[in-house]
Amino acid sequence: MKPLGNLPSLDAVVAELGKLPGIGPKSATALGYHLVSLPTERVKRLAQLLEVLPDKIVHCSVCGMLTETDPCAFCLSPSRDRSIVCVVEESLDALSIEKSGAFTGVFHVLGGTLSPLDGVGPAQLRIKELLERLKSDEIKEVILATNPSVEGEATASFLRTLIADLETGIELSRFARGLPIGGDLVYTDGETLALAIQTRKPMENQ
Amino acid sequence: MRIQNLSIQNFRNLEEVSLDFPDGPQLLIGKNAQGKTSLLESIYFLATSTSHRTRLTRELIRARAETAFIKADFISEGIPHTLSAGLDGKTRRFRLDGEVLQKSADLYGHLKAVFFSPEDLEFITGSPNVRRRALDLGLCQKNPRMIGHLLDYRRALKQRNAVLKQNSRSKDLGNLLEAWEPLLVREGAEVLRERASYSLKLLEGASVYYDNLTQSAEELKGEYRSSGTREHWKKLDDIPSVNALQESFLKNLRTHQERDQAMKTTTCGPHRDDVVLSISGASAHRYASQGQKRSIALSTKLAERDLLVKGDDNPILLVDDVTHEMDKNRCKRFFQNILSDSQVFLTFTEKTALRGLLDSCPTWTVEAGTVTPGK
């Protein structure tokens, strides 16, 4: 939506909102006008919170996770299993895995995937830090939990080679792919279904 | 498969069109540049999200218009569906029965169409790139699963090429290149196996049609040349299994890594494959006459039609101005071949071109971007 030009302060806010992911010009305009309609205290509070955000949130110096205390809670917690590291693309991925409750190890956040087309090579990711960690810590297994996308697969494949070259005897694994729980065969896309069939498991005795 | 109704707004040079099609072949008659081809293109666009004329979304929208819209009500395998496409300068949005299709892979296979165009000659005279594109469009309509494999292959290929362009002196180069290999090989072998099978079936069918159309002693043959495995295949049985293809593609990738580094691009793989056609042993690309090339192009398209038939459901045939170079007998045999079970849309510049073969068909006049019944 083109700004009318008589509200430059609001237009500037709308323009910034429109740069956020998932927010198009119409949503940005609606949000901007909504902000103006809010009580002054609420807008000011939001502004204050946003202002300090970049200073409060840092990357954990050990695992790269977003945190307010360095090292992060995962790296400090005595109850986490330090022998198994789950390597993910972003902090949000670690959060999803944590919510599953099935993982009690520690994380390593790469900060993205290899994508030469976008100028992202090994130097732009926390790969050196990962290799250092694997050399020094008592790590027995690494789960390469990058996404099953073209770039995620390539990143996993790249890490596999590097980690094997360390000759530490660390076990490498990757998440299984297949049907979602509570899913319906009818609504599963062909590729996922084909993979689930190829990687089927024998039924265990009840 | 049959389109019952087609609405178009601002697609190519068509302004506003809404047509109900009675049974039978539809004849579109109009002078040059009035919108006949655009109408066929609109149907092909709903089938494949591509146009053979342009790759730019902007060029699909009529000059001075902001957006374009196409909608077709059609019957497929006995069931009525509605497929629509909305375009603005940047995006294309497709809906099937009102639901937005999220991926281009979801579009393929619903409305199937074969486009007979004067430009089909390029399948014989053009670069390998033209042939691969034509083969992939047919393959993806026949087997929509392949579009995902093709897109992943192209993505991995672009990334590997970016590594080759950027990191010529990096000590990590070997590892960085190998990172893309598993995907390239897995997706590449899948594409290769399916595309090669499709191509050889297509050539087999085309050979029979060529015989029928030309009534001559000449024999149309062809082979699939795989750059990733350095092999040539003439029959379906020649094509190795997916596992064997993976193995030999990987071996060749590794063998040519140095050359790839020097050329700064991936020099072997399905993106370099080709289909080579010959007539009675002589290369069609080099030696075929204009008439022979025309007959090969038509035969290939007829074979494509056959490959897209599913049960009693025939693809829609879009025949753009292809008959003017044919003599009456060849024309007659061609029409006998296409006027069978498929819904056919044919364009002509004037009614006399019909030569009495299609007199009783529904006729539409295309003029200055509008379409009106009869003439």
Side-chain angles (χ1 to χ4, degrees):
Chain A
M1 243 180 245
K2 275 187 190 145
L4 292 173
N6 55 348
L7 299 169
S9 311
L10 180 55
D11 291 341
V13 172
V14 168
E16 285 304 319
L17 289 171
K19 292 179 192 167
L20 297 172
I23 299 192
K26 280 184 186 165
S27 305
T29 310
L31 277 174
Y33 276 79
H34 179 72
L35 284 172
V36 175
S37 75
L38 289 177
T40 313
E41 312 81 69
R42 276 189 60 191
V43 183
K44 290 208 160 150
R45 184 172 147 71
L46 182 63
Q48 279 158 8
L49 289 172
L50 286 175
E51 191 167 12
V52 295
L53 197 60
D55 300 320
K56 290 252 170 146
I57 308 284
V58 295
H59 289 284
C60 171
S61 56
V62 181
C63 71
M65 185 99 67
L66 291 176
T67 178
E68 292 201 25
T69 57
D70 187 19
C72 71
F74 288 107
C75 292
L76 285 178
S77 166
S79 60
R80 306 294 296 195
D81 181 354
R82 254 156 252 284
S83 70
I84 173 163
V85 179
C86 183
V87 178
V88 293
E89 292 175 18
E90 304 289 353
S91 293
L92 207 53
D93 299 327
L95 200 70
S96 301
I97 292 168
E98 188 56 20
K99 274 191 190 154
S100 77
F103 181 70
T104 56
V106 287
F107 290 101
H108 190 89
V109 181
L110 293 171
T113 55
L114 289 179
S115 182
L117 283 174
D118 304 308
V120 183
Q124 280 71 41
L125 303 173
R126 252 172 242 101
I127 288 180
K128 214 171 71 195
E129 291 86 339
L130 173 66
L131 298 178
E132 285 306 315
R133 237 179 129 183
L134 298 184
K135 276 186 240 168
S136 56
D137 290 7
E138 291 290 299
I139 293 163
K140 293 195 182 70
E141 182 181 349
V142 171
I143 306 174
L144 296 173
T146 49
N147 285 309
S149 62
V150 170
E151 286 75 17
E153 294 280 354
T155 308
S157 162
F158 181 70
L159 291 174
R160 182 188 57 203
T161 315
L162 292 187
I163 295 171
D165 286 349
L166 292 177
E167 295 183 342
T168 46
I170 288 173
E171 236 177 81
L172 286 170
S173 58
R174 189 134 172 78
F175 285 162
R177 290 191 277 171
L179 296 177
I181 302 282
D184 196 320
L185 288 185
V186 179
Y187 295 113
T188 307
D189 73 280
E191 192 140 352
T192 308
L193 200 52
L195 205 75
I197 293 167
Q198 283 158 19
T199 57
R200 68 191 184 277
K201 283 191 192 164
M203 278 178 83
E204 282 153 31
N205 291 328
Q206 302 287 314
Chain B
M1 200 165 280
R2 208 172 79 77
I3 297 179
Q4 297 168 302
N5 171 284
L6 180 68
S7 319
I8 301 168
Q9 283 147 26
N10 296 324
F11 182 79
R12 300 291 276 171
N13 59 349
L14 294 170
E15 187 176 352
E16 176 91 44
V17 172
S18 180
L19 307 171
D20 291 307
F21 298 117
D23 285 338
Q26 313 292 320
L27 307 188
L28 306 162
I29 304 194
K31 297 201 175 68
N32 290 325
Q34 301 301 305
K36 303 186 299 295
T37 304
S38 299
L39 198 135
L40 302 189
E41 267 184 282
S42 76
I43 296 172
Y44 198 69
F45 189 77
L46 286 179
T48 62
S49 81
T50 62
S51 150
H52 68 299
R53 290 274 171 99
T54 176
R55 284 172 179 239
L56 300 174
T57 308
R58 181 65 213 124
E59 291 183 357
L60 295 171
I61 303 170
R62 202 171 69 96
R64 291 182 298 281
E66 297 277 319
T67 57
F69 184 73
I70 315 165
K71 179 169 84 72
D73 296 316
F74 65 103
I75 306 250
S76 166
E77 297 183 57
I79 298 164
H81 291 288
T82 302
L83 194 56
S84 71
L87 300 95
D88 64 24
K90 282 167 263 162
T91 55
R92 320 168 160 197
R93 171 172 287 172
F94 292 91
R95 286 175 191 267
L96 177 68
D97 301 327
E99 294 278 332
V100 174
L101 300 174
Q102 301 296 347
K103 295 177 292 185
S104 56
D106 298 334
L107 175 70
Y108 279 78
H110 297 294
L111 186 68
K112 290 185 211 164
V114 181
F115 206 125
F116 294 73
S117 148
E119 280 123 62
D120 290 343
L121 275 189
E122 288 178 24
F123 189 74
I124 300 100
T125 59
S127 62
N129 181 29
V130 174
R131 282 183 285 283
R132 284 192 301 270
R133 182 175 143 81
L135 292 169
D136 287 343
L137 278 172
L139 171 62
C140 288
Q141 288 200 74
K142 180 175 165 57
N143 184 354
R145 196 175 62 86
M146 291 314 295
I147 184 94
H149 291 295
L150 263 170
L151 291 176
D152 281 357
Y153 177 77
R154 284 183 200 151
R155 178 96 195 151
L157 182 70
K158 270 191 185 169
Q159 294 278 24
R160 186 179 190 268
N161 287 342
V163 174
L164 288 164
K165 282 182 179 68
Q166 290 161 12
N167 300 277
S168 49
R169 281 185 296 276
S170 163
K171 63 176 167 45
D172 257 349
L173 182 61
N175 282 342
L176 283 170
L177 287 176
E178 279 166 27
W180 303 95
E181 278 175 1
L183 265 159
L184 214 54
V185 166
R186 189 181 76 207
E187 301 302 318
E190 201 74 36
V191 168
L192 182 50
R193 166 100 198 151
E194 289 297 316
R195 194 208 271 148
S197 311
Y198 174 83
S199 305
L200 293 184
K201 281 183 207 155
L202 189 76
L203 293 176
E204 200 181 283
S207 180
V208 176
Y209 280 115
Y210 188 81
D211 208 43
N212 171 294
L213 280 179
T214 60
Q215 308 266 302
S216 72
E218 302 162 350
E219 199 181 8
L220 173 66
K221 281 191 162 180
E223 62 178 33
Y224 189 92
R225 296 192 174 169
S226 154
S227 128
T229 64
R230 295 282 178 271
E231 288 174 35
H232 299 177
W233 305 311
K234 289 193 166 76
K235 325 185 286 295
L236 277 179
D237 292 344
D238 296 345
I239 308 171
S241 69
V242 170
N243 285 342
L245 289 172
Q246 288 188 359
E247 210 170 291
S248 101
F249 182 22
L250 181 63
K251 205 183 96 205
N252 274 301
L253 266 180
R254 296 259 164 97
T255 312
H256 297 299
Q257 192 165 312
E258 269 180 40
R259 187 176 70 185
D260 288 0
Q261 280 167 238
M263 311 274 287
K264 295 190 186 295
T265 188
T266 305
T267 56
C268 73
H271 63 291
R272 293 268 173 131
D273 289 359
D274 199 5
V275 160
V276 177
L277 302 159
S278 64
I279 293 177
S280 302
S283 153
H285 181 83
R286 283 196 197 149
Y287 301 113
S289 70
Q290 194 73 359
Q292 284 173 320
K293 284 172 185 163
R294 171 72 58 208
S295 298
I296 297 173
L298 287 177
S299 308
T300 314
K301 288 288 166 166
L302 289 167
E304 180 180 339
R305 187 266 316 261
D306 292 349
L307 289 178
L308 294 185
V309 172
K310 190 178 167 197
D312 295 334
D313 218 35
N314 291 281
I316 287 155
L317 306 187
L318 309 166
V319 184
D320 191 18
D321 204 18
V322 291
T323 52
H324 68 275
E325 275 181 26
M326 284 193 271
D327 61 47
K328 193 167 183 181
N329 280 332
R330 205 169 279 203
C331 223
K332 199 170 167 188
R333 282 194 292 274
F334 174 66
F335 285 131
Q336 281 164 354
N337 273 310
I338 59 166
L339 301 177
S340 50
D341 306 318
S342 296
Q343 187 183 27
V344 190
F345 294 81
L346 300 131
T347 71
F348 295 96
T349 44
E350 53 195 87
K351 208 164 183 186
T352 49
L354 311 185
R355 300 168 190 177
L357 286 166
L358 303 158
D359 280 347
S360 58
C361 302
T363 304
W364 306 88
T365 303
V366 185
E367 200 170 4
T370 59
V371 185
T372 47
K375 180 166 181 177

